[in-house]
Amino acid sequence: MKLRSSHLLFIALGMVLGIGATVGAAGIRGSSFFSDVPEGAYYDESVGAMFNSGIIKGYADGRFGPDDFVTRGQVAVMMQRLRVELGLADAESESSRSSRSRSSSSSSEEDDASFSVVSSSSVVFSSSSSSSSSSSVASYSLNPYGTIRFTTLTYTGNEKDGTATISIVRTGGNQGTVSVEYELQPGTATTDDYEPATASATFEGKSTSAVFTVNLKNDTLTEGTETIKIVLKNPTNHASLGSPSTADIKIIDDETPTVTSSAAAASSAAPTVGLSALDYIVAEAGGSLTVSATRLGGTAGAVTVAYATVDGSAKSGTDYTGVSGTLSFAAGESTKTLTIAVTDDAKIDGNKTFKITLSNPTGAALGQATSNVIIHDEEAAPFGSGSLKFSRASYDGFESQGKAEIVIQRVGGAQGKATVQYSTTDGTGRAGSDYTAVSGTLIFEIGESAKSFFIPITADAAADSEETVNIRMSSPTGAELGTPSTASMTLY
């Protein structure tokens, strides 16, 4: 038997792991890794979650094949891998049954294919067939040398500091000394903004974390926040690459325009203007989306900022009406809005996305400069008030970075205003010595689907890495709590 709609299986697995099927920008998306996964598709985040968790990796040629058949044998191994991930089975005991093979006759010819399911354990399917036979081989073994990955999809470096600090981890094993190469690639930034490099980072035996720096160039141009890409490749000594192996580095511009107001200049926080949310969502039949830009760090003096939409899988003129222009804040004004019209149709074509960007500020620096907008296909799934959940069940925090960003997503709809309280409690880490306890309330206006808060991390000289902090949500209004509503942060 074969399951025709294989992507439905991945959504179901995602739900078991507490991952919703609605796309959130802060979550890892399958479209970021596989060219044949449409950005904004209803299974986009589930594919990304399965890839990130190590349940499934895709084909050897780099495709995912979201509409391909899945065999009963492949389902069995994915389910067993899931049992290991959930702690219901022992990976090492499974490794004793590391090789299985079978052969059977078949009257139909199938294409050659390969299908991988990997993490700290490795499961590999391969099949080849002719008109008369087919074979399948599976292996299941622990990689004692570890899997190397970035700790986040986005890092930040200030132009004036001259460097950006990058953290990577080795999970699933720590035997031997291993290294991995990293390469810098242009994004919106050019080599005038950073020093090109292809270098390597090393994990000594038993080490599970590594930190290195990327050199940035300071200039006198007012150019806003720019990005470069960083890619991990070529791990040594049998180590493997995990996900994410590609990340962005945001370069924060230090040429803040002069603020004429002495009150604003005296503010303890530098004045910024940015989008109000990391992510927005609007129902296809909703007619339009209202996006807010807000000023932080003071409202003295006038501020302007340019805005524009950028096509993704959603196309201007077909799925929405593109806009561009300038928002002008008078002294004392903290919020301005812009409206984007969306187009309704009767097709079941899945969610689609585009971006809203801010640029060229005057009177303030740029804050949140780019956010994703999701057009929710109501023909594929209902759209309501949604539920609130952490973007992941576990986060990494590094003393060298000084803080960790925690993202809360609103999935399944964003009708009406919603709020949720958040707080931290000690795990093995201690507030005051390892981190600063935080609590507060996040407010989601209509259409806002991802927001974040930060947990300050304390640097010390003690060899006390891998301590934990507990994070929880509570007392939601306007939306229900989803899963996960609790998370943990591991300190390195």
Side-chain angles (χ1 to χ4, degrees):
M1 183 189 86
K2 293 183 177 180
L3 302 178
R4 188 173 185 84
S5 299
S6 59
H7 41 74
L8 295 180
L9 173 63
F10 308 136
I11 293 174
L13 288 170
M15 292 174 68
V16 171
L17 290 177
I19 308 295
T22 302
V23 177
I28 296 177
R29 297 176 175 176
S31 57
S32 300
F33 306 100
F34 303 107
S35 60
D36 58 345
V37 174
E39 183 180 2
Y42 65 91
Y43 49 81
D44 192 1
E45 186 182 3
S46 293
V47 172
M50 295 302 95
F51 184 81
N52 188 47
S53 299
I55 304 298
I56 190 168
K57 190 173 183 180
Y59 288 99
D61 62 2
R63 295 181 304 109
F64 182 75
D67 295 307
D68 288 0
F69 289 110
V70 178
T71 67
R72 288 168 59 90
Q74 291 169 337
V75 171
V77 175
M78 280 191 288
M79 290 300 182
Q80 177 60 15
R81 177 63 187 90
L82 179 61
R83 292 180 67 231
V84 173
E85 188 76 15
L86 296 176
L88 303 176
D90 178 42
E92 291 200 37
S93 67
E94 288 301 316
S95 67
S96 65
R97 298 190 293 273
S98 61
S99 179
R100 298 285 190 271
S101 64
R102 66 177 177 86
S103 62
S104 61
S105 62
S106 173
S107 60
S108 63
E109 184 173 7
E110 299 179 358
D111 294 334
D112 291 346
S114 64
F115 194 86
S116 301
V117 183
V118 299
S119 183
S120 58
S121 300
S122 177
V123 180
V124 179
F125 285 94
S126 63
S127 66
S128 60
S129 62
S130 64
S131 60
S132 61
S133 67
S134 66
S135 65
S136 177
V137 179
S139 65
Y140 204 92
S141 59
L142 195 68
N143 179 1
Y145 301 96
T147 299
I148 302 171
R149 64 173 175 84
F150 287 116
T151 60
T152 181
L153 287 171
T154 305
Y155 298 88
T156 300
N158 289 300
E159 182 183 79
K160 64 180 180 180
D161 294 336
T163 60
T165 300
I166 311 300
S167 52
I168 57 178
V169 291
R170 174 166 61 156
T171 62
N174 59 8
Q175 289 188 15
T177 298
V178 303
S179 63
V180 65
E181 291 184 8
Y182 60 88
E183 180 183 8
L184 301 181
Q185 300 176 352
T188 58
T190 69
T191 53
D192 292 333
D193 302 299
Y194 69 96
E195 293 183 8
T198 298
S200 62
T202 299
F203 295 82
E204 300 295 339
K206 304 299 182 182
S207 174
T208 58
S209 65
V211 175
F212 57 90
T213 58
V214 171
N215 293 325
L216 308 178
K217 297 179 180 179
N218 197 358
D219 57 32
T220 59
L221 300 176
T222 302
E223 51 200 353
T225 300
E226 297 178 298
T227 61
I228 57 179
K229 290 192 176 295
I230 183 167
V231 179
L232 296 179
K233 60 182 183 179
N234 301 329
T236 66
N237 196 21
H238 308 294
S240 57
L241 286 182
S243 172
S245 59
T246 300
D248 288 330
I249 304 173
K250 288 184 178 180
I251 304 175
I252 306 301
D253 188 17
D254 67 338
E255 277 71 44
T256 302
T258 302
V259 180
T260 57
S261 167
S262 60
S267 172
S268 59
T272 63
V273 59
L275 296 165
S276 63
L278 304 175
D279 220 12
Y280 299 88
I281 187 169
V282 58
E284 188 178 67
S288 65
L289 170 70
T290 298
V291 174
S292 296
T294 58
R295 296 173 66 178
L296 300 176
T299 60
V303 167
T304 66
V305 66
Y307 64 87
T309 52
V310 180
D311 283 355
S313 56
K315 306 303 179 185
S316 177
T318 301
D319 303 301
Y320 74 102
T321 301
V323 297
S324 62
T326 300
L327 296 175
S328 298
F329 296 77
E333 290 184 325
S334 60
T335 301
K336 287 287 183 177
T337 62
L338 60 99
T339 301
I340 305 168
V342 296
T343 305
D344 192 14
D345 60 36
K347 299 177 182 178
I348 303 177
D349 51 4
N351 295 348
K352 296 182 180 181
T353 64
F354 63 95
K355 295 181 185 296
I356 178 72
T357 65
L358 299 182
S359 61
N360 301 323
T362 66
L366 271 180
Q368 178 68 28
T370 302
S371 296
N372 283 330
V373 180
I374 302 162
I375 302 176
H376 181 87
D377 183 10
E378 291 165 298
E379 283 79 27
F383 187 84
S385 59
S387 60
L388 299 164
K389 71 180 188 73
F390 287 111
S391 63
R392 55 197 306 176
S394 61
Y395 296 86
D396 295 323
F398 286 81
E399 292 182 359
S400 59
Q401 294 183 351
K403 62 182 179 180
E405 184 177 21
I406 309 299
V407 177
I408 294 179
Q409 298 172 327
R410 187 179 185 184
V411 299
Q415 292 181 353
K417 183 177 180 178
T419 69
V420 68
Q421 295 179 16
Y422 62 86
S423 61
T424 57
T425 58
D426 288 353
T428 56
R430 296 291 177 258
S433 57
D434 298 309
Y435 74 101
T436 300
V438 298
S439 62
T441 301
L442 284 183
I443 300 173
F444 290 77
E445 299 293 346
I446 297 172
E448 295 181 340
S449 60
K451 291 202 157 186
S452 65
F453 62 92
F454 290 88
I455 302 175
I457 300 172
T458 304
D460 58 37
D464 53 2
S465 66
E466 301 192 31
E467 294 176 311
T468 59
V469 178
N470 301 318
I471 319 166
R472 67 185 296 265
M473 288 188 287
S474 62
S475 305
T477 67
E480 298 179 348
L481 283 184
T483 302
S485 61
T486 61
S488 64
M489 177 178 68
T490 301
L491 303 176
Y492 293 92

